Amino acid sequence: MLPIERKMKLLEQVNTTGKIEIDELAEQLNVSSMTIRRDLSKLEKDGKLVRTHGGAVSLQSLTTETPYVNKITLRVKEKRLIALEALKLIPEGASVFLDSGTTTLEIANIIKERNDLHIVTNDLNILQMLLHSPSNIICTGGNLQNGLGVFYGPHAEDLLRSINIDILFLGAHAIDIERGISAPTLEKAMLKKMMIKTAKQTWAVCDSSKFDKHSFAHVCNLSEINGIITDNLCIKEKMKKYENRISIIYAHGN
């Protein structure tokens, strides 16, 4: 098989299945793993796919950033129920980090009247929600992502290095059983990694639409967090594989 034919075969397969593995392809095409790696690197350079550890994924399979104005109206009831479950995990006098996101915004709405907490966030919308809260409110500061109201960058990272948090509610852009949690950008992934490192407990909060998806930048494996709080709209058969790996709390309505 000519190199150009091999690359076309790789591209066809990744666009069909969403992802490909180097070792499997090497065996299938009877070439070395190094040859497949070179082919994938060339295809990534040409903007045809995205390399991952051990393989590649199609551009279509990546979950991209959703504008805040679009997210705020999606699955509002489910996010509220998830927030009520999160509330049960927050002890009196706790230090809490609310990562950016519309689900964590619902948590902020529920705890804004409490006066016993230390609440840290990197989200401008959450700060506005907590504007009149009697609790101690801290903003990471940093570079502001336009359209989303999310702080990131060196200033936010410096603050994270200087604090210890009892419980982190991590916004999860995409969750995959093998790849773990991922984010749309390297900057966001880096900040989330640091949040996890500074927290005694980490719970990802997300609705059921985020499962079996992955985004550009790896945040953590499922084994690195305490659990996930999600809604009860998840397909039961699909969730069994996650339940075998990590604690799942399902939010149920009345």
Side-chain angles (χ1 to χ4, degrees):
M1 182 180 293
L2 296 173
I4 189 170
E5 293 175 320
R6 190 173 59 246
K7 291 187 183 73
M8 289 178 64
K9 181 73 174 177
L10 296 179
L11 193 57
E12 178 185 358
Q13 189 163 333
V14 75
N15 286 333
T16 300
T17 63
K19 63 179 181 178
I20 50 179
E21 303 293 335
I22 289 173
D23 291 341
E24 291 180 9
L25 290 167
E27 183 177 351
Q28 178 184 334
L29 300 176
N30 196 28
V31 295
S32 69
S33 297
M34 184 59 67
T35 297
I36 297 297
R37 287 190 179 90
R38 284 196 295 265
D39 287 345
L40 294 181
S41 294
K42 180 64 168 60
L43 288 168
E44 182 179 49
K45 186 177 180 181
D46 293 341
K48 303 295 186 181
L49 49 72
V50 175
R51 288 289 311 276
T52 63
H53 179 71
V57 296
S58 68
L59 296 176
Q60 294 86 349
S61 70
L62 289 175
T63 303
T64 56
E65 195 85 78
T66 303
Y68 181 81
V69 292
N70 295 348
K71 293 192 294 184
I72 191 66
T73 58
L74 296 175
R75 298 181 177 242
V76 176
K77 178 183 176 182
E78 287 75 22
K79 293 171 184 176
R80 177 73 177 180
L81 292 172
I82 291 169
L84 288 171
E85 290 297 327
L87 177 64
K88 299 175 184 178
L89 300 177
I90 305 175
E92 185 176 349
S95 55
V96 181
F97 198 111
L98 297 179
D99 186 15
S100 61
T102 51
T103 304
T104 45
L105 180 67
E106 286 296 332
I107 299 175
N109 189 30
I110 287 175
I111 65 175
K112 65 183 179 183
E113 302 299 332
R114 288 182 59 166
N115 63 2
D116 61 309
L117 303 174
H118 298 276
I119 306 173
V120 188
T121 187
N122 63 323
D123 189 307
L124 181 61
N125 301 292
I126 290 175
L127 281 175
Q128 291 176 324
M129 177 69 72
L130 298 173
L131 184 61
H132 300 293
S133 172
S135 283
N136 182 37
I137 311 301
I138 301 170
C139 172
T140 64
N143 302 82
L144 183 65
Q145 185 177 10
N146 294 334
L148 287 170
V150 179
F151 292 105
Y152 66 96
H155 188 89
E157 293 170 10
D158 284 345
L159 182 129
L160 280 168
R161 292 188 187 98
S162 66
I163 61 175
N164 294 301
I165 295 295
D166 292 322
I167 186 165
L168 160 66
F169 292 108
L170 182 74
H173 189 80
I175 300 179
D176 180 81
I177 190 67
E178 298 299 337
R179 295 180 175 87
I181 296 174
S182 52
T185 67
L186 290 171
E187 292 85 358
K188 281 193 172 182
M190 174 60 71
L191 200 66
K192 289 175 186 288
K193 288 175 186 286
M194 296 184 70
M195 292 176 194
I196 294 169
K197 188 175 292 187
T198 196
K200 293 178 183 177
Q201 287 189 59
T202 297
W203 288 82
V205 289
C206 64
D207 63 68
S208 53
S209 68
K210 305 298 177 64
F211 288 90
D212 284 355
K213 294 183 179 179
H214 55 276
S215 196
F216 176 69
H218 178 75
V219 174
C220 67
N221 297 321
L222 296 183
S223 60
E224 297 177 63
I225 65 175
N226 294 82
I228 302 170
I229 309 175
T230 189
D231 58 53
N232 66 343
L233 301 180
C234 302
I235 300 172
K236 291 182 179 180
E237 290 302 315
K238 180 175 76 172
M239 294 305 295
K240 285 182 179 178
K241 60 185 178 183
Y242 289 96
E243 292 170 358
N244 290 333
R245 295 279 190 93
I246 191 169
S247 175
I248 307 282
I249 296 175
Y250 295 101
H252 296 273
N254 295 327

